[in-house]
Amino acid sequence: MAEAGDDEADRVRHRVVGDLRGGGSELDALAKVCDACVELLPVDGASVSVMTGDLGRECLYATDRVAARIEAVQFSLGEGPCFQAFDTKRPALAPNLRDVAWPVFAAEIGAEPVGALFGFPLVAGAISIGALDLYRRTPGWLSAAQLRVALRLVDVATLVLLGLGLDRAAGAWTDLPLRRAQVHQAVGMLIAEFGVSPEHALARLRGHAFTTGRLVDEVADDLVSRRLHPADVGGA
């Protein structure tokens, strides 16, 4: 017999599908999924990102400031639950932030009220398209039943991004508005300045951000706004 959480997750799916078929936006649908995670699970925040690799990553929705901060720090460092989930196509579950495989990330996020993190890959067949992250203020596992609900909601988020069953072309998620354009522009500036690969350019950005105690987004904005010259961004 399905538990109450399973039923609620199914209701979220039907509501999201109905909204999309009625002309609703993908971003609004993703917001409903993330909000449902907080309502149905013992977590305090959620976020969802699309990813095409180390550089192609965009957080589409975060429920609160802490969830958004978690996403920004992960992108700056290139490590954390969303990267692990995306790379391995398996959930990255960290019930205690003090005992994780991402020590630099844990140290950087240590000032935030985060005790546990759970990253889930958004996967369609053999293709990873993104990740959904959940955090809670206190350490602790999700139960088997709660994990089942989380995976149902992950399926809904994947459905939204791919438009499966909604008469939309697979991959339509790539048309969603992206907000990290300044990072891509800054990477292009470093490529032009040093003749390096995109991966190396991003590594330079991350290295400079880490050594100066800032986020990659902030360093990129300074480069694009000419407050920082490419030559000021050290090698990596």
Side-chain angles (χ1 to χ4, degrees):
M1 179 179 294
E3 297 186 11
D6 296 325
D7 293 339
E8 290 297 326
D10 287 340
R11 291 191 188 98
V12 172
R13 181 185 187 281
H14 293 315
R15 185 164 65 248
V16 165
V17 170
D19 288 348
L20 288 175
R21 283 179 171 157
S25 77
E26 286 90 347
L27 293 180
D28 287 343
L30 291 173
K32 287 183 173 67
V33 175
C34 288
D35 292 343
C37 289
V38 178
E39 294 171 8
L40 301 180
L41 299 168
V43 299
D44 296 292
S47 62
V48 62
S49 300
V50 291
M51 302 173 68
T52 57
D54 195 42
L55 178 60
R57 180 177 180 276
E58 183 72 25
C59 180
L60 297 179
Y61 182 78
T63 57
D64 58 27
R65 182 198 65 81
V66 175
R69 174 70 179 177
I70 291 169
E71 292 304 307
V73 171
Q74 286 188 92
F75 182 73
S76 285
L77 298 176
E79 71 171 32
C82 84
F83 280 99
Q84 182 174 325
F86 179 82
D87 290 339
T88 65
K89 299 183 178 66
R90 297 170 60 91
L93 309 178
N96 191 331
L97 196 61
R98 295 182 179 180
D99 183 23
V100 296
W102 330 292
V104 179
F105 167 77
E108 286 295 307
I109 208 70
E112 299 292 344
V114 180
L117 279 168
F118 309 100
F120 297 89
L122 304 180
V123 178
I127 303 173
S128 293
I129 60 174
L132 187 147
D133 284 353
L134 308 175
Y135 85 88
R136 60 191 296 176
R137 295 189 179 96
T138 57
W141 278 102
L142 297 176
S143 70
Q146 290 161 352
L147 280 172
R148 185 170 63 246
V149 172
L151 290 172
R152 285 175 180 259
L153 294 172
V154 165
D155 287 342
V156 179
T158 304
L159 174 75
V160 172
L161 291 182
L162 288 179
L164 293 176
L166 301 176
D167 297 326
R168 297 178 182 221
W173 60 272
T174 56
D175 295 328
L176 292 170
L178 303 182
R179 297 181 293 276
R180 197 157 265 141
Q182 77 274 17
V183 173
H184 295 279
Q185 188 173 347
V187 165
M189 293 170 67
L190 293 178
I191 292 172
E193 180 77 14
F194 300 109
V196 296
S197 68
E199 292 77 15
H200 193 167
L202 180 60
R204 282 177 179 261
L205 272 182
R206 283 178 169 154
H208 186 84
F210 181 74
T211 56
T212 57
R214 307 178 71 205
L215 295 175
V216 161
D217 300 286
E218 296 168 343
V219 175
D221 187 61
D222 279 354
L223 275 171
V224 172
S225 301
R226 307 294 179 179
R227 293 188 294 269
L228 185 68
H229 191 275
D232 298 325
V233 179

